[in-house]
Amino acid sequence: MHAKDRTQTTGATRTHTLLPTSRPVPVMGRLYADFAGPLGLISKPLSSIRPNTVVTVRATVSAVNRLSGDRAHLVLANEGGDTALVTLDASTARSLAPVVGMQVTVRGTVASHTASTVAATVVNVLPGQAVAL
């Protein structure tokens, strides 16, 4: 959590108070996704959802990386800056034609959680399961 430093001087004494800010630090994999749970629809950060779970994500495309064979990687982000990496097969990438700023809904399987410095959650989008909003 970010904190603001508030310095106050009273006489010869100077005190510092750290106040929390309202916005947490954006994190890769903290983007929320919906999935079917035992009691209905559940919404959780992707980084806390088990691999191979089918999820639905609604977010904005913040980056597009075209891959060989017409496939694509997208970085999806919410308003707070939390992100997730999404992979599209060739036919889905061609039909969606993703561009930065486009709002999308994608449905796919959670592929992995990495233990690297930037924890990434990858969603492999199911064929034809990506639409622009």
Side-chain angles (χ1 to χ4, degrees):
M1 170 165 28
H2 285 318
K4 290 184 180 176
D5 183 9
R6 178 182 285 174
T7 304
Q8 184 177 31
T9 304
T10 53
T13 306
R14 187 176 209 163
T15 61
H16 296 278
T17 305
L18 294 178
L19 301 174
T21 61
S22 60
R23 291 190 72 179
V25 176
V27 174
M28 177 70 89
R30 195 165 57 195
L31 186 66
Y32 270 68
D34 298 330
F35 65 98
L39 300 176
L41 196 63
I42 298 172
S43 186
K44 291 172 68 171
L46 277 166
S47 58
S48 66
I49 299 173
R50 285 190 218 170
N52 300 318
T53 302
V54 175
V55 298
T56 300
V57 178
R58 287 169 204 80
T60 302
V61 176
S62 63
V64 178
N65 183 19
R66 307 273 179 203
L67 305 172
S68 63
D70 289 336
R71 297 174 303 122
H73 276 158
L74 307 179
V75 176
L76 298 184
N78 63 15
E79 291 175 0
D82 298 319
T83 59
L85 182 63
V86 173
T87 59
L88 302 176
D89 67 10
S91 65
T92 304
R94 280 192 301 272
S95 66
L96 182 62
V99 294
V100 172
M102 175 187 278
Q103 292 186 346
V104 296
T105 296
V106 298
R107 183 167 170 78
T109 57
V110 176
S112 65
H113 302 285
T114 63
S116 65
T117 306
V118 177
T121 300
V122 177
V123 175
N124 290 322
V125 175
L126 299 169
Q129 295 295 303
V131 295
L133 300 177

